[in-house]
Amino acid sequence: HPQLKRLVSVSDMPIDFSTILVAAACIVEQDGKYLMIQEGHQFAAGMWSHPAGLVEKGERLADAARREVQEETGYEVEIIGVLAVTNLQKVAFRDYHSPHQHVLKVTFAGRLVGTPAGEREAEIKDVQWLTKEEILARAEQLRDKDIPMLIERMERKQTLPQDVLVEFEQ
């Protein structure tokens, strides 16, 4: 039919798969407060976030989230569920990530398993336990705009089991 457009295969599209990054993050709550970090990186200096970072080659998603919490805060956590998979367009950080402005972030719910076991990364300016209200008051200083939604899900215990994420080596 002349009005039907030809389907285009992926091989015909100008796709650069290297521009999509995968990050793992963790929301940790204790006694009504959430573990938050203040960034020291040049591209996000002074902004607040939950512990998060890029997944390393060959690393499992939950392992990456645990590692990021430990590196950025010194705390060790146990992963207790999946809060969200967020498709982030990092417009505000184009100069730093260029051409990597697109991040697929998997955010886990975590529970502390002890006292701080180590020092935090030098790029982290501060680590604080903040209430939901204190976090919302910093809305303009949040690195990722999905943080309020993630905290709501954590409060409502809206987590999915970890096995919803299936990982295979191929």
Side-chain angles (χ1 to χ4, degrees), residues 24 37-38 46 52 54 57 64 79 101 132 165 169:
I37 60 162
Q38 188 176 34
L54 298 179
K57 185 175 182 179
I79 300 299
Q101 304 100 20
K132 175 183 171 182
L165 298 173
E169 287 187 28

Side-chain angles (χ1 to χ4, degrees), residues 19 90 93-101:
T19 62
K90 302 290 254 184
F93 306 125
R94 285 190 184 197
D95 292 340
Y96 179 79
H97 285 293
S98 185
H100 305 291
Q101 304 100 20

Side-chain angles (χ1 to χ4, degrees), residues 9-164:
S9 72
V10 171
S11 61
D12 295 333
M13 296 177 163
I15 297 175
D16 180 1
F17 289 103
S18 68
T19 62
I20 300 173
L21 302 175
V22 178
C26 194
I27 298 286
V28 183
E29 183 271 337
Q30 182 169 298
D31 300 324
K33 294 189 174 185
Y34 297 88
L35 184 59
M36 297 290 286
I37 60 162
Q38 188 176 34
E39 300 280 0
H41 294 284
Q42 65 180 357
F43 69 94
M47 299 192 89
W48 287 90
S49 185
H50 48 37
L54 298 179
V55 176
E56 296 176 358
K57 185 175 182 179
E59 188 174 35
R60 298 181 65 81
L61 293 165
D63 293 341
R66 276 192 294 274
R67 174 183 53 77
E68 288 295 337
V69 173
Q70 196 283 318
E71 289 176 355
E72 294 182 351
T73 70
Y75 286 101
E76 290 188 35
V77 296
E78 171 189 11
I79 300 299
I80 58 174
V82 178
L83 285 168
V85 177
T86 311
N87 187 26
L88 297 170
Q89 301 293 330
K90 302 290 254 184
V91 176
F93 306 125
R94 285 190 184 197
D95 292 340
Y96 179 79
H97 285 293
S98 185
H100 305 291
Q101 304 100 20
H102 190 166
V103 178
L104 187 66
K105 181 176 77 170
V106 180
T107 304
F108 293 90
R111 176 175 36 232
L112 288 184
V113 292
T115 57
E119 293 188 22
R120 64 180 184 250
E121 290 178 340
E123 296 89 16
I124 304 302
K125 186 175 177 180
D126 196 7
V127 175
Q128 290 188 21
W129 289 93
L130 301 174
T131 65
K132 175 183 171 182
E133 292 73 25
E134 291 169 324
I135 293 167
L136 294 176
R138 291 173 165 90
E140 294 302 314
Q141 297 172 308
L142 294 178
R143 180 172 166 191
D144 292 339
K145 301 306 176 197
D146 65 340
I147 293 172
M149 178 268 302
L150 295 167
I151 289 172
E152 284 289 329
R153 286 186 176 188
M154 190 76 166
E155 284 184 339
R156 294 179 183 164
K157 301 188 182 336
Q158 290 178 318
T159 60
L160 296 172
Q162 288 183 66
D163 64 4
V164 73

